[in-house]
Amino acid sequence: AQSVTQLGSHVSVSEGALVLLRCNYSSSVPPYLFWYVQYPNQGLQLLLKYTSAATLVKGINGFEAEFKKSETSFHLTKPSAHMSDAAEYFCAVSDRTATGYALNFGKGTSLLVTP
Amino acid sequence: DGGITQSPKYLFRKEGQNVTLSCEQNLNHDAMYWYRQDPGQGLRLIYYSQIVNDFQKGDIAEGYSVSREKKESFPLTVTSAQKNPTAFYLCASSITSDTTEQYFGPGTRLTVT
């Protein structure tokens, strides 16, 4: 089964600093990869997705992620953190089931942005 | 506006009682999913449904049941057999079961005491 590992359950950055959230995947086939963001007590919102069209994927709110097959990574970055970026971030990989697809999620990384 | 509705936002129940969580979507999506979220554990798949009147167990189906009588609705029942039901429950949908992108509802926080 396909899986993802998020390195670091908590990341703290200063406002204006680079955001880097790490995700490594394990997949026996070319994966579909996703980053979702979750604000407190809310559902998940899709930030961006990789579906093999381009290795550098741009998403909403200034985030982007680069698919690196050699490193089996799909790290999320943003050049300059904003206070409103404070949230929980989940990396996910699409896993083929017997009857369709399901998402396997990482355990999440909580991003704290300090003034 | 199209989207996924989960109600209620917060739900409290006594131990030993069954409780049903509502999930409705007006996106005309074929596939629907239920996830459970616990702190530090990410999201875990409970059940999913590709089409009306069909559903499949996910990774942690024990103690849960679902139905899919209508395309728009996918209610989840947390039974008294679920050993640790207190959690945040998220419903999601996708256009078809072969579509990898999923859209999420706002979630229901269930507390059982």
Side-chain angles (χ1 to χ4, degrees):
Chain A
Q2 275 58 260
S3 65
V4 291
T5 301
Q6 292 184 241
L7 303 176
S9 58
H10 294 83
V11 170
S12 181
V13 300
S14 300
E15 190 175 18
L18 171 71
V19 175
L20 171 60
L21 304 182
R22 300 177 186 274
C23 174
N24 287 91
Y25 69 90
S26 173
S27 176
S28 58
V29 297
Y32 293 115
L33 293 161
F34 305 81
W35 275 100
Y36 283 87
V37 60
Q38 183 182 35
Y39 298 99
N41 290 312
Q42 295 187 26
L44 275 66
Q45 180 183 8
L46 181 67
L47 276 176
L48 50 81
K49 62 181 178 181
Y50 169 76
T51 57
S52 76
T55 56
L56 183 62
V57 182
K58 294 187 182 298
I60 62 171
N61 301 340
F63 284 93
E64 63 181 35
E66 185 172 8
F67 175 75
K68 292 188 177 181
K69 184 178 179 180
S70 61
E71 299 177 6
T72 61
S73 69
F74 190 57
H75 301 332
L76 182 71
T77 61
K78 182 174 181 178
S80 177
H82 192 272
M83 297 297 288
S84 61
D85 294 327
E88 187 92 15
Y89 292 80
F90 292 95
C91 182
V93 63
S94 184
D95 194 13
R96 184 76 184 179
T97 69
T99 52
Y101 284 98
L103 290 178
N104 288 337
F105 286 85
K107 294 187 176 182
T109 298
S110 180
L111 176 65
L112 175 66
V113 182
T114 57
Chain B
D1 289 337
I4 302 174
T5 303
Q6 291 185 244
S7 61
K9 181 71 173 175
Y10 299 93
L11 192 53
F12 299 87
R13 281 294 183 270
K14 294 290 187 182
E15 192 173 326
Q17 293 179 336
N18 292 354
V19 58
T20 298
L21 282 60
S22 168
C23 178
E24 303 277 334
Q25 56 98 359
N26 61 4
L27 300 168
N28 200 33
H29 286 178
D30 284 336
M32 298 185 74
Y33 310 81
W34 273 106
Y35 293 90
R36 170 181 172 139
Q37 184 178 18
D38 296 282
Q41 294 199 42
L43 280 72
R44 293 180 289 171
L45 183 64
I46 305 173
Y47 268 98
Y48 63 100
S49 168
Q50 303 173 79
I51 198 168
V52 174
N53 292 323
D54 180 68
F55 47 84
Q56 309 293 330
K57 292 182 179 180
D59 300 322
I60 56 165
E62 185 175 351
Y64 299 97
S65 66
V66 294
S67 63
R68 186 86 186 276
E69 298 177 0
K70 298 187 299 181
K71 186 175 185 177
E72 304 79 22
S73 179
F74 191 41
L76 173 74
T77 296
V78 184
T79 76
S80 56
Q82 169 50 230
K83 299 300 182 187
N84 186 19
T86 295
F88 191 51
Y89 290 88
L90 287 158
C91 179
S93 70
S94 61
I95 296 173
T96 70
S97 60
D98 285 336
T99 307
T100 57
E101 183 173 334
Q102 295 181 15
Y103 298 85
F104 284 80
T108 291
R109 185 167 298 281
L110 173 65
T111 302
V112 177
T113 58

